[in-house]
Each structure stands twice: as C-alpha cells, then as structure tokens.
Amino acid sequence: MTCASAASATELNAGYVLKKMNNDQMVSYVSGVVEGLAYARFLKDRPSEDSMNCVYGWYDKLDKKGWTQMEAWFRRHEDKPVGVLLHVLIKKECGE
C-alpha cells in the first residue's frame, strides 16, 4: 500500500483545490468533504439525523452565487484545509 507523504498532504489545501483542480475535480472533492462533515454530525448526534440533514441541505442549496462565495472564502484562506473552511461556512447555518 502506498502512503502519502507529509509534504503532499500539506499541499491539499484550499489553494491547491482552486489552482490545481479542474471544475469537476473540485466539485467532487467538495462533495466528499461535505459527505464527511455530514456523517460526522450524524455520529455525534445519533440517532437524530437533523444536523446531518442540515449539512446536506446546505450543500444542496449551493447555487452559482453560493459557489462563487465559497471560492472567494477559499481564496482568502488558501493555506487552510478545505474541511475546516467548509465547516465554518456550514456552521453558520447548521450550528456545531
């Protein structure tokens, strides 16, 4: 099994997503991060699915303007992990 090096892991931040990924790759990556955040909320709050569904709802409501705002947020914090940045955005609507 191959293991990613620490150097390559530090490169997978918002700047990398914006500059190195094409649109399809970025959408897939963000979708995966959102899925992980939603599942983490389910594990924290189970058996309630309310928080998990809020995370999914936040993502489902992203329109072109929402994606533009998210990308602007990523640009302001290019050195930060995408998961952390998305958590901050989702927290505004869904809480902790």
Side-chain angles (χ1 to χ4, degrees):
M1 175 149 59
T2 306
C3 181
S5 70
S8 63
T10 60
E11 292 177 11
L12 192 52
N13 53 30
Y16 182 89
V17 170
L18 289 169
K19 295 174 183 172
K20 301 289 185 180
M21 292 185 178
N22 65 38
N23 190 58
D24 289 343
Q25 292 168 326
M26 184 170 84
V27 169
S28 293
Y29 185 74
V30 168
S31 295
V33 172
V34 169
E35 179 69 31
L37 292 171
Y39 186 63
R41 292 300 299 270
F42 170 72
L43 291 176
K44 179 180 175 233
D45 299 338
R46 68 181 162 195
S48 173
E49 296 180 0
D50 293 344
S51 295
M52 176 184 72
N53 289 331
C54 184
V55 173
Y56 286 136
W58 176 87
Y59 184 69
D60 289 342
K61 288 185 239 173
L62 275 183
D63 55 9
K64 185 173 179 156
K65 180 181 176 186
W67 273 94
T68 301
Q69 291 172 335
M70 182 179 62
E71 289 177 18
W73 177 243
F74 287 1
R75 279 189 192 82
R76 285 195 303 267
H77 305 283
E78 289 188 6
D79 61 326
K80 303 291 186 240
V82 171
V84 172
L85 297 175
L86 287 174
H87 172 73
V88 170
L89 293 177
I90 293 168
K91 181 178 162 183
K92 291 177 182 179
E93 184 170 326
C94 299
E96 286 293 330

